[in-house]
Amino acid sequence: MWQHNYTPLNGSLFLSAAVAALPILTLLLMLGVLRKPAWISALSGLATTILVSLFLYGMPVQHVVSATLFGAAFGLFPIGWIVIGAVFLYRITVETKNFEIIKYSLGTVTQDRRLQALLIAFAFGAFLEGAAGFGAPVAVAAAMLSGLGFSPFFAAAICLLANTAPVAFGSIGIPAITLAGITGLPLDRLSAGIGRICAPISLFVPGYIVVVMGGWTALGRVFPAALVCGVVFAGLQFVVSNYVGPQLTDLIASLSSILALLLLFRVWKPKDHNQDTAPVQAGETLHYTRGRIFLAWSPFLLLVVVVLLWGWKPMQVPLNSVSMPIPWPGLHNLIARIPPVTAKVSPYPAIFNFNWLSAAGTSCLIACFLSAIVLRIAPVQFLKIFAHTLRQLALALVTLAAVLGLAYLMNYCGATGTLGLAFASTGASFPFFGAILGWLGVFLTGSDTSANALFGNLQVITATRLNLNPVLMAAANSSGGVMGKMISLSSIAVAAAATGLAPDEEAKLFRFTLKHSIFLASAIGVVVLFYAYVAPGLQP
C-alpha cells in the first residue's frame, strides 16, 4: 500500500507546500493573468498536478491515472448531470416561447433588476441549493436572469455571489452531515456552529449583491427589500440550524425570504423603479391569462415538486435502493493517509456512488420529461432541444472533468494534506486560517461537502492540539468553504454554460469573483476569531 508523505521535499513543510501549490498557482495564472478560457486553464492545472504527483510525491503512475479518472467521473456525474438537466429545462422554456411569458409575469411582480436579483439569484437560488445543490442553483438562476435581459456576464456574476450564504446547508444538509460523519462530532452542535458563523454574513449578502450591481446609492434605494431578505433568511438560518437541524435550514429560510419579498413588493416599490427595468409591453395583459402564465411556469414548478420529492426521506430509500457503490479500480484502499492528517494510518477509500436514480440531476431530467408532456412538445423537438443543450455544454463538461480530476489527484497524492498542514501551522491565528482552509478546499473541489471530507478531520486534530473548540473549527471549515464556491472552476463553468457566456469571458468572471471571494472568506475568518477569543461563551 502506497503511503502519503506530506513533507516530500527535504522534509520541509514550507518547501513542500510551495511546490504542492503549483497547480493552484497555475489556475490563477491561466485565468487571472493570461485570461485563458476555463477549460484550457483546468487542463493546464491538471497537467501541473500530474507532474507534481509523479515527481514530488512519487505517486505510482497507475494511481495517478486512476485518481484523475475518479475525479473526472465525479465531475461528469453528479455535477455535470445536474447542469445538463437544469440547462435543458431552461432551454425547453425558451424554445417553446414560454420564457417570454415568465418574464412578463416577473415584470408584474417587479420590473426592477435589483429586486429581480434578490428574488431569483438569492432567494430562489437558495431554495435550489437547499433542495438540490451541486450546481443547480447557479445553472437555473443564471439562465433565468439572462433570459430576463441581464447580460450573460452580469447574470453569471450575480448568481455566483448569491450562491454563498446557503451552501453549507445545501442538498438537504449534506455538507454538515458529511462533516459529522468524518469528524465523529455531534451533528446538532456542528449545525449550530455553522449557523452561528454563517448567519451574520447571510444578513449582509443581499445588500452586498445590490452594492455590487449599482453601488451604495442603489442599496439606499432598495434598502427595505435587501433588509427584509437578509433578516428573514439569516434569522431563520440561525434558528433552524440551531434548534431543528441542517436538513431543512435552507428550504425554510429561502421559502420564507421569497414569501417576505413577494409580500413586500405588494405594498412597496423603490422610488426610482423605472430605472434599469424591463417594462411590460402595452397590451400584454390582454394576451396572458393566469392559466397561461401558470402553464409557462409549469417546468419550474415541476422542478420544485420533483426536487422536493427527491429530498423527502421516505422517497430516498427506494430511490437509493438501485444506487451502485463502485470501489474505484486501482485506487480504493490502495493508498494510506497518515498522521497528523488522520488520527492513525488508515486506507484512503475511493467509492464512486453511481446513484443514477436518486441524483438531483435525474430529478431535473424527470422535470424536463414532465414539462414536455404538459407543454405538448413533439418528441423530435424535444430531442433537438436536448442536442442543442449538449452542444452548448460541451466545453463546460470538459472543464468540470478536468478540475475535479485535478482536485481528486491532489487529494490522493497528498498535496492537499501538505497544504492543510501548512495552514494548521499558523498557531493562535488558526481560527482565521481554518476558515481560509475550508475556502481553499471548496476552490479546489467545487463542493463544500468534498472540502469537509477533505479537511474536516484535520481541523479537529489541529484544534485539539491548540486547545481550541473542535466543533467551532470543524464548523469554520464548512462556513469558510461557502465563499470558495464562487471562484471554483466548476461553478464558473456552470454559470458560463447556463448563460451562454463566451469562453474568453470566463477569465474575466473569475477575476471579478476572486476579490469578492477573498473579502467574504476573510469576513468569515474574523467571525470565527470573534467566537474563539472574544466571545467563547457563544460557541456551540
Side-chain angles (χ1 to χ4, degrees), residues 16-41:
S16 299
V19 180
L22 285 177
I24 301 172
L25 296 176
T26 300
L27 291 176
L28 294 173
L29 175 66
M30 297 295 289
L31 273 173
V33 179
L34 300 181
R35 305 183 182 186
K36 297 297 182 182
W39 69 274
I40 294 178
S41 302

Side-chain angles (χ1 to χ4, degrees), residues 127-360:
F127 169 79
L128 291 175
E129 180 65 42
F134 291 101
V138 171
V140 175
M144 291 182 71
L145 288 185
S146 180
L148 284 168
F150 285 68
S151 71
F153 177 86
F154 216 50
I158 292 302
C159 288
L160 287 171
L161 284 173
N163 189 222
T164 50
V167 167
F169 297 103
S171 303
I172 322 293
I174 286 298
I177 293 170
T178 301
L179 186 61
I182 289 291
T183 62
L185 297 171
L187 177 60
D188 58 341
R189 290 185 63 197
L190 285 172
S191 176
I194 296 169
R196 294 180 195 191
I197 296 171
C198 287
I201 305 300
S202 299
L203 179 67
F204 298 104
V205 169
Y208 190 88
I209 291 171
V210 175
V211 171
V212 170
M213 291 182 69
W216 291 101
T217 301
L219 177 60
R221 289 167 176 163
V222 297
F223 184 73
L227 180 65
V228 166
C229 187
V231 168
V232 171
F233 185 88
L236 284 167
Q237 185 182 54
F238 178 88
V239 170
V240 178
S241 63
N242 276 262
Y243 301 107
V244 179
Q247 293 89 346
L248 296 176
T249 298
D250 276 351
L251 296 178
I252 293 175
S254 61
L255 289 174
S256 298
S257 60
I258 290 172
L259 179 61
L261 285 173
L262 292 177
L263 291 174
L264 177 67
F265 295 163
R266 294 179 68 89
V267 299
W268 168 90
K269 57 184 176 182
K271 293 180 180 179
D272 65 334
H273 63 276
N274 290 323
Q275 178 182 340
D276 195 23
T277 60
V280 179
Q281 297 295 322
E284 279 189 352
T285 53
L286 300 176
H287 297 286
Y288 301 137
T289 64
R290 289 184 178 180
R292 187 66 187 87
I293 292 172
F294 181 82
L295 186 66
W297 271 99
S298 61
F300 293 107
L301 296 175
L302 286 167
L303 175 65
V304 170
V305 172
V306 177
V307 165
L308 283 176
L309 192 62
W310 252 235
W312 189 37
K313 283 189 176 181
M315 275 291 293
Q316 289 179 348
V317 174
L319 290 174
N320 284 315
S321 64
V322 294
S323 298
M324 293 180 284
I326 303 172
W328 199 258
L331 192 63
H332 177 59
N333 287 341
L334 296 178
I335 295 174
R337 291 182 290 181
I338 63 174
V341 169
T342 54
K344 60 181 180 180
V345 176
S346 56
Y348 201 164
I351 302 292
F352 182 75
N353 184 24
F354 187 51
N355 56 333
W356 61 273
L357 185 57
S358 63

Side-chain angles (χ1 to χ4, degrees), residues 2 48-60 64 68 409-410 413 415:
W2 184 73
T48 305
T49 311
I50 291 173
L51 294 175
V52 169
S53 63
L54 287 172
F55 297 108
L56 176 64
Y57 289 92
M59 190 180 191
V64 171
T68 303
L409 181 55
M410 286 190 69
C413 78

Side-chain angles (χ1 to χ4, degrees), residues 56-121:
L56 176 64
Y57 289 92
M59 190 180 191
V61 174
Q62 66 270 24
H63 292 338
V64 171
V65 173
S66 186
T68 303
L69 293 178
F70 185 34
F74 185 80
L76 296 176
F77 185 95
I79 299 176
W81 187 237
I82 290 173
V83 177
I84 290 171
V87 176
F88 185 27
L89 187 74
Y90 167 69
R91 294 304 313 172
I92 285 174
T93 65
V94 171
E95 297 294 335
T96 57
K97 309 300 182 184
N98 281 289
F99 201 83
E100 293 301 315
I101 304 175
I102 291 174
K103 286 196 292 184
Y104 157 76
S105 67
L106 285 171
T108 62
V109 174
T110 176
Q111 300 173 30
D112 192 291
R113 290 188 178 173
R114 298 162 299 190
L115 302 184
Q116 288 174 345
L118 293 179
L119 183 62
I120 296 172

